Amino acid sequence: MNGEPDFLSTLRLQDTGASTGETILTGASHWSPGGRVFGGQVLAQCIVAAQHTIEDRAIHSMHGYFLRPGDTGLPITFGVERIHDGRSFATRRVQAYQRGVPIFSMIASFQRPDDGVEHQDPFPVDIPAPETLPSAASILAPIDDPVAQAWAERSIDLRHVDGPVFVDVQGEQVAHQAVWFRVQGALPEDPTLHRAVLGYASDLSLLEPIMRRHGMAWGTPGVKLASLDHAMWWHRDARADEWVLYAQESPSAQGGRGLAFGRMFSRDGRLLASVAQEGMMRVPR
């Protein structure tokens, strides 16, 4: 794929002014199966909306809740509240609305560049290069199904190290996995945009370790999954249009919910970000 990634236009928000102490922006959605807004999209849009009100600081953490399904046919309104502006850190609260009710709520912290002690977890061992693995598009494109075609046409190249869980569970039924991903096409030279795109990609596959552990695939009849909450910490700058390894694991699933953690590494071994998400997982009885 050449040119601009298909979702990038959704991250260009329009500032419509201020209302009752909030900065108000609006944005659109890209098409998604079933007409539901992809959670990673609205998460990334909230990051961009918050960053719109801040200069000289980059996002380093966010915590958000997916409250209601979004409708891809409607615009999304973003209200940004300035919670705190300190010498080093700033805090913003963002609500994403449709039909006058919030669909996603986020609080995020931003920091000016600073020096300090440094360490990180090591890059996982025995990880094959992404070029040796099949892409999600090559696996899904031959399947005559609208959902499979939508996934195949995504402008993020996703490659599972231990086989995908699209139609069935390939490989061992374990509660961990790793995937390589990168945006296809060029992204602008904007570090804050790359952080937002990592946020977008963080929601693509993080619940899959739960599915893999229990032998369930996206295509398993009757399985219903939804992201409930999401937290992310950015550690180091990265390019989302270069290969990123996303190592994922699930420590627990119970009561129709499952918890998953993820770590993103650059190809040269730098730990870029850490992610946590709890999701709803309902299975046929």
Side-chain angles (χ1 to χ4, degrees), residues 15-35:
D15 188 337
T16 59
S19 174
T20 62
E22 292 186 331
T23 298
I24 306 298
L25 303 98
T26 58
S29 296
H30 61 69
W31 184 86
S32 183

Side-chain angles (χ1 to χ4, degrees), residues 50 57 68 73-75 77 86 94 102 111 116 129 134 143 151 153 157 169 181 185 192 208 221 225 236 244 249 267:
R57 307 179 201 204
R68 296 174 176 86
L74 297 174
T77 299
V94 186
Q111 182 189 19
I143 300 175
W151 277 62
E153 293 170 3
D157 189 347
V169 176
F181 73 84
T192 61
E208 289 185 351
L225 292 100
R236 296 166 180 85
V244 173
E249 61 181 338
R267 194 165 186 174

Side-chain angles (χ1 to χ4, degrees), residues 67-69 76-77 95-104:
L67 303 175
R68 296 174 176 86
I76 305 175
T77 299
Q95 301 266 39
Y97 296 91
Q98 283 188 324
R99 298 188 178 96
V101 295
I103 63 172
F104 183 78

Side-chain angles (χ1 to χ4, degrees), residues 147-180:
V147 175
Q149 292 301 308
W151 277 62
E153 293 170 3
R154 278 179 168 164
S155 56
I156 291 185
D157 189 347
L158 190 70
R159 306 191 179 199
H160 288 75
V161 170
D162 299 308
V165 293
F166 298 134
V167 178
D168 54 17
V169 176
Q170 301 181 17
E172 293 184 85
Q173 292 186 16
V174 293
H176 58 82
Q177 69 171 20
V179 299
W180 288 100

Side-chain angles (χ1 to χ4, degrees), residues 5 8 27 33-34 46 59 72-73 77 115 139 187 189 195 219 230 252 258:
L8 198 58
C46 284
I59 189 169
T72 58
T77 299
D115 295 323
I139 295 169
L187 290 178
E189 298 288 336
R195 291 195 175 205
H230 198 95
S252 180

